[in-house]
Amino acid sequence: YDSFEDPELRYRQRYVDLVVNDGVKETFLKRATVIKTMRAVLDEAGYTEVETPILQSIAGGASARPFITHHNATELYLKRLIVGGFEGVYEIGKNFRNEGMDKNHNPEFTCMELYVQYKDYNWMMSFTEKLLERICIAVNGSEETTIDGKTISFKAPYRRLPILDAIKEKTGYDLNGKSEEEIRQICKELKMEIDDTMGKGKLIDEIFGEFCEGTFIQPTFITDYPVEMSPLTKMHRSKPGLTERFELMVNGKELANAYSELNDPIDQEERFKDQLRLSEKGDDEAMFIDQDFLRALQFGMPPTSGIGIGIDRLTMLMTGKSYIQEVLFFPQMRPEKVIPKDAPAKYMELGIAEDWVPVTTQ
């Protein structure tokens, strides 16, 4: 054979892929540059790199279905360190999500999370622009990268668009002031598949995901999420019912999620209780109550801004790769099938003496 192109084999046998296929090693060297540059920017700003537990008993942090045995909730630990007096802390580490595998998702992924005291989400948008612009220059020599045939510019500034305005722009429906039942009816008019477990926030999220998210190719900050979608976020200073949160969309996918962090322990406890009620309705992405985190907030957390950036998706953008498996040395794969020793003769012709022969699955 003079080629090694089957994706299944390439991801399973990365050692062969690295040796045989040009450009594969270069992709992972660029990934290293992404992380190195990100760390340099954060260190130069005076922030402290820390480590927090991966395994814990309470599922918390960003909305996601928890594993039965473990779930990563880095952000609640990092905010405890802000309570403890650190000016700014960050962690680059593994996260785990109980979700399927596709071109944009791997159950195990790498994320950078940063928390800085006495900052808000407006400051964090500006900081993120500078960070990504510098990373793009370090990797590609300019503020531009190309992916899926599209040229994307990370040169600041990026567009800022409130989520309800984005939904109105893309669907024609104005959700401002709408009740859960009114939004449920709009979902039906949009011919969306919804169920009774979805609360107001989940319904809005589904509308945005189906009609809006994929349309934002150039970096765009989607801002000011409804409180029902943001249980850890400070209420908006001038827009009732909304919060100071943004998600950064690039090439039709979320790259970052950030807040002006909620630091009122009484408000936070009520938000946790609201999440518990959603969980009881069947929402498997709702959060549980973390009593120790509430206790930490009672000691006093200064106004703080936090952000999480997916390293794998960022590397995809910077290297022009359309599949997350291309930027992970060893992506999660389905188990290989095995063929018993007494299998048909065509397998015995391989001359394998062991009890089984590994065979890849589609």
Side-chain angles (χ1 to χ4, degrees):
Y1 301 96
D2 60 358
S3 67
F4 191 68
E5 298 178 354
D6 180 84
E8 178 102 4
L9 287 175
R10 287 183 54 230
Y11 304 152
R12 287 189 188 279
Q13 301 177 31
R14 184 67 83 184
Y15 40 90
V16 179
D17 189 33
L18 286 163
V19 171
V20 173
N21 290 322
D22 293 336
V24 176
K25 184 177 180 180
E26 181 66 22
T27 294
F28 289 98
L29 291 175
K30 288 183 176 180
R31 180 188 174 103
T33 298
V34 168
I35 296 173
K36 180 172 65 176
T37 306
M38 178 177 284
R39 184 174 273 119
V41 172
L42 298 174
D43 289 346
E44 289 168 12
Y47 307 139
T48 305
E49 183 172 9
V50 299
E51 294 177 287
T52 62
I54 290 176
L55 303 180
Q56 67 156 315
S57 59
I58 297 176
S63 298
R65 294 186 296 276
F67 286 101
I68 292 174
T69 54
H70 61 265
H71 176 86
N72 184 277
T74 301
E75 61 184 277
L76 300 187
Y77 282 114
L78 291 174
K79 284 190 277 191
R80 286 171 169 90
L81 298 180
I82 296 294
V83 171
F86 279 86
E87 175 188 354
V89 291
Y90 74 93
E91 181 170 22
I92 298 174
K94 294 293 186 181
N95 282 240
F96 304 93
R97 291 293 182 264
N98 190 13
E99 298 174 353
M101 297 175 285
D102 59 31
K103 63 182 292 187
N104 294 298
H105 296 88
N106 193 66
E108 174 184 336
F109 63 98
T110 304
C111 187
M112 185 283 291
E113 295 204 43
L114 166 70
Y115 292 83
V116 185
Q117 65 176 359
Y118 298 110
K119 306 296 182 184
D120 64 12
Y121 79 140
N122 292 307
W123 175 89
M124 189 62 80
M125 280 187 264
S126 298
F127 183 83
T128 301
E129 290 171 340
K130 296 172 186 175
L131 173 65
L132 297 181
E133 185 175 325
R134 182 160 162 186
I135 290 172
C136 194
I137 291 171
V139 174
N140 295 307
S142 74
E143 299 97 342
E144 294 184 346
T145 185
T146 301
I147 184 170
D148 299 330
K150 295 165 285 192
T151 299
I152 293 175
S153 173
F154 282 97
K155 185 174 178 58
Y158 309 155
R159 184 186 184 193
R160 304 182 182 190
L161 180 66
I163 186 171
L164 297 184
D165 291 355
I167 290 174
K168 184 177 180 181
E169 181 180 288
K170 302 299 181 181
T171 70
Y173 286 94
D174 186 353
L175 303 188
N176 275 290
K178 293 288 192 296
S179 67
E180 180 178 322
E181 286 308 311
E182 288 173 319
I183 295 174
R184 191 176 299 277
Q185 180 58 39
I186 289 172
C187 288
K188 293 176 181 177
E189 292 174 13
L190 291 170
K191 302 187 183 331
M192 296 175 58
E193 293 185 10
I194 57 174
D195 59 58
D196 293 338
T197 70
M198 296 180 178
K200 182 177 178 180
K202 191 67 177 289
L203 294 171
I204 293 172
D205 191 37
E206 290 293 311
I207 294 172
F208 180 81
E210 186 164 337
F211 295 97
C212 307
E213 182 174 325
T215 67
F216 296 106
I217 305 304
Q218 297 301 321
T220 304
F221 291 117
I222 302 299
T223 68
D224 303 346
Y225 284 67
V227 63
E228 294 84 357
M229 300 177 68
S230 311
L232 297 169
T233 312
K234 187 183 286 288
M235 295 298 294
H236 199 284
R237 66 196 72 183
S238 62
K239 299 178 181 179
L242 303 181
T243 62
E244 296 193 346
R245 172 187 175 189
F246 72 78
E247 289 188 349
L248 177 59
M249 301 293 164
V250 188
N251 197 35
K253 291 294 177 184
E254 175 196 345
L255 177 61
N257 187 19
Y259 317 143
S260 293
E261 299 293 337
L262 179 57
N263 60 342
D264 180 340
I266 297 174
D267 190 356
Q268 183 64 83
E269 184 173 14
E270 289 304 312
R271 304 274 194 98
F272 277 149
K273 289 178 179 178
D274 289 340
Q275 289 289 299
L276 195 58
R277 284 188 281 270
L278 289 174
S279 178
E280 291 168 352
K281 285 178 60 177
D283 186 345
D284 56 8
E285 292 189 355
M287 295 176 61
F288 298 95
I289 297 178
D290 187 331
Q291 293 292 349
D292 183 65
F293 177 64
L294 292 175
R295 181 169 55 196
L297 290 185
Q298 290 169 7
F299 278 85
M301 185 174 84
T304 298
S305 184
I307 188 169
I309 299 177
I311 298 295
D312 306 317
R313 287 192 182 177
L314 178 57
T315 303
M316 290 168 66
L317 289 165
M318 295 300 170
T319 60
K321 301 300 181 184
S322 302
Y323 291 83
I324 194 170
Q325 291 82 6
E326 296 285 349
V327 300
L328 301 173
F329 270 128
F330 305 107
Q332 187 75 30
M333 304 290 288
R334 295 182 179 87
E336 291 181 295
K337 288 183 178 179
V338 297
I339 299 174
K341 197 171 183 179
D342 59 354
K346 64 179 181 178
Y347 296 117
M348 296 302 97
E349 292 173 1
L350 295 172
I352 305 297
E354 290 81 5
D355 288 338
W356 50 266
V357 178
V359 177
T360 59
T361 60
Q362 298 300 322

